[in-house]
Amino acid sequence: MSYHAIVLGLGAMGSAAACQLASRCSSTGKKILGLDRFHPPHTFGSSHGETRVIRQAYFEHPDYVPLLKTCYDRWHRLEHDYGDTLLQQTGALMIGPENSDVVAGSLRAAREHGLPHQLLDAAELRRRYPVLRPPAGTMALYEEVAGALAPESCITAHLEAAAQAGAELHFSERVESWTADPGRDGVTVRTSAGTYQAEHLVLAAGAWMPDLLYSAGSTEESRLQADRKVLLWLEPEGGERGFMPHEFPIWVWEPEGEYAFYGFPALDGRGGGVKAGLHTNRDDCHADELDRDVHGEDAEALYKLLRQFIPRLDGEILHSTVCMYTHTPDDHFLLGPHPDHAQVTVAGGFSGHGFKFSVLVGEIVADLVLEGKTTHPIGLFAPDRFR
Ligand SMILES: Cc1cc2nc3c(=O)[nH]c(=O)nc-3n(C[C@H](O)[C@H](O)[C@H](O)COP(=O)(O)OP(=O)(O)OC[C@H]3O[C@@H](n4cnc5c(N)ncnc54)[C@H](O)[C@@H]3O)c2cc1C
């Protein structure tokens, strides 16, 4: 069976790519095939756990800001087509010493792009958000447009739209290897169920990208690394009062000399707890050998920070889950043509901050596959930059 394009992986990025490709090919007779080893949305990769932060004053690099502005527009469009809320605006605080990456980086992005924001000192933070205990010298950038995406619903919305536009989606079918056909514009993909041919291949395998970035037989090293991340839902001491969405925003906090940690307001209301996790710790792993159990020492690393900075979150764990980041050496994405094969497009290495972009990644992948270029600024993400 032959297709115009095969999308390998139907998580956050692959579902969006399949949706865009199928919609744009629906009247042309070009067939799109999507393959996933599980049935997304699922809890085995990088896109589960109820919420993902979206924000614009992007401390990681100001070049993300134009993309983020487009993302807001595209999420609202998808929300409209899907008929249910995907993005809940909550506001967010980027907290730390003035010269921390989180504070200085957000401020730089906000200033370079003229984004509305407020700067709060420790006293003002304590006054507005009495549950926080910022040490003297702490600063925070508050951004009102920040909010939370519902990742499982976003993936469902993209997969439903892809299927409606005629994409063929195969679940519980594992890709074993792929090869780019020399001398012609094509690829061959071998799975647990068969062999497929296509003109283009999109690699969107999340934490499994280290094994799949290069074709069968290549000795090239991917330079991608999966990293185990633990999420906890904590019962605040004294209940959710003070953490409810009308009085408390998302936070990312980088205390002096500590890991950055983050969390959400109590979006599930009373009894639902407050979700929090560590961001910059490293626990490198292989996606097939991930330890999915949460241990005492996992929780302790987060509790240590919470006891000091948000002490009421030193409460019971209501539930927990394990997720994976997939790092590149510089923590910027891999998005663009494959270093070796023009007929292969790479969407991987999202380094723990990709979800908010997935709706636009789908559009960019479709541009690259169908037009060979995109007008969106993706220069920071060139997949061949580590060569
Ligand atoms: C704890 C945590 C918190 C995060 N917080 C944020 C946040 O607040 N904001 C934000 O923007 N981002 C955040 N991220 C990052 C973001 O969620 C990821 O960048 C994004 O979800 C990655 O999407 P993906 O499509 O690459 O991976 P996935 O959604 O995991 O999809 C990859 C898919 O490929 C499939 N696959 C893999 N191998 C094969 C194979 N051999 N054959 C067939 N299918 C295969 C998998 O089954 C999977 O469905 C967070 C991530 C984690 C883990």
Side-chain angles (χ1 to χ4, degrees):
M1 186 67 188
S2 186
Y3 297 88
H4 187 65
I6 294 175
V7 180
L8 195 179
L10 294 171
M13 308 303 164
S15 64
C19 169
Q20 285 291 326
L21 283 165
S23 312
R24 283 153 71 169
C25 290
S26 63
S27 57
T28 65
K30 290 176 177 169
K31 299 266 312 156
I32 305 301
L33 172 66
L35 297 167
D36 202 287
R37 59 188 292 165
F38 302 117
H39 195 141
H42 58 72
T43 58
F44 307 117
S46 304
S47 302
H48 55 290
E50 300 172 11
T51 45
R52 288 292 184 271
V53 185
I54 180 164
R55 54 197 158 82
Q56 289 190 6
Y58 216 60
F59 61 80
E60 290 85 344
H61 200 288
D63 284 2
Y64 288 86
V65 176
L67 295 166
L68 284 160
K69 289 184 171 167
T70 313
C71 287
Y72 271 75
D73 172 69
R74 299 303 193 269
W75 284 121
H76 289 309
R77 272 199 222 170
L78 183 67
E79 214 165 32
H80 176 265
D81 295 345
Y82 183 57
D84 201 0
T85 305
L86 298 173
L87 197 176
Q88 189 176 349
Q89 191 175 323
T90 59
L93 289 166
M94 300 295 122
I95 314 175
E98 198 170 1
N99 61 358
S100 58
D101 289 346
V102 163
V103 173
S106 314
L107 190 57
R108 176 180 165 212
R111 287 192 173 142
E112 273 188 28
H113 291 277
L115 301 174
H117 65 280
Q118 297 168 27
L119 273 182
L120 314 177
D121 64 11
E124 181 64 10
L125 263 179
R126 268 185 241 117
R127 196 187 63 73
R128 284 204 204 179
Y129 310 104
V131 298
L132 302 180
R133 292 279 180 284
T138 301
M139 293 296 293
L141 181 142
Y142 177 76
E143 185 178 39
E144 195 174 356
V145 297
L149 289 160
E152 292 85 355
S153 302
C154 295
I155 292 174
T156 300
H158 275 135
L159 289 177
E160 284 183 8
Q164 258 165 31
E168 198 177 310
L169 304 177
H170 296 188
F171 299 112
S172 307
E173 184 170 339
R174 188 174 161 261
V175 172
E176 279 155 7
S177 66
W178 61 271
T179 47
D181 308 342
R184 70 180 184 91
D185 266 5
V187 292
T188 302
V189 175
R190 280 179 199 78
T191 75
S192 48
T195 300
Y196 308 93
Q197 249 91 44
E199 286 177 40
H200 298 269
L201 174 64
V202 177
L203 297 174
W208 287 266
M209 283 293 269
D211 296 341
L212 289 162
L213 180 60
Y214 288 103
S215 56
S218 167
T219 53
E220 198 78 39
E221 273 221 40
S222 80
R223 312 215 39 204
L224 295 172
Q225 178 61 54
D227 171 18
R228 176 177 173 275
K229 285 283 179 285
V230 171
L231 289 170
L232 302 180
W233 282 256
L234 299 159
E235 181 178 25
E237 283 174 357
E240 276 83 5
R241 184 185 39 82
F243 293 99
M244 297 297 280
H246 68 274
E247 57 191 344
F248 192 66
I250 287 168
W251 82 86
V252 180
W253 198 330
E254 185 190 354
E256 183 85 57
E258 304 279 1
Y259 297 131
F261 67 110
Y262 67 97
F264 293 79
L267 291 169
D268 294 333
R270 302 213 180 276
V274 169
K275 178 182 149 182
L278 294 179
H279 181 52
T280 49
N281 63 318
R282 281 296 285 259
D283 186 1
D284 289 353
C285 65
H286 186 280
D288 282 332
E289 284 144 31
L290 175 67
D291 179 358
R292 297 183 188 279
D293 295 326
V294 174
H295 306 281
E297 61 266 28
D298 294 321
E300 195 44 43
L302 180 60
Y303 274 132
K304 176 178 165 272
L305 294 169
L306 293 173
R307 257 177 232 128
Q308 190 177 350
F309 299 108
I310 319 182
R312 275 184 53 215
L313 289 185
D314 186 19
E316 291 284 304
I317 298 173
L318 297 175
H319 62 116
S320 61
T321 192
V322 173
C323 179
M324 288 175 283
Y325 290 180
T326 310
H327 295 279
T328 62
D330 60 8
D331 280 341
H332 297 306
F333 312 153
L334 292 190
L335 179 58
H338 191 281
D340 297 329
H341 312 287
Q343 69 270 48
V344 180
T345 301
V346 180
F350 288 93
S351 303
H353 62 114
F355 195 89
K356 61 183 85 60
F357 297 93
S358 54
V359 72
L360 185 57
V361 167
E363 190 174 316
I364 290 168
V365 165
D367 288 346
L368 295 171
V369 169
L370 301 175
E371 334 260 340
K373 59 181 182 340
T374 183
T375 54
H376 296 291
I378 57 167
L380 195 59
F381 312 136
D384 62 0
R385 70 185 180 281
F386 305 115
R387 279 261 166 99

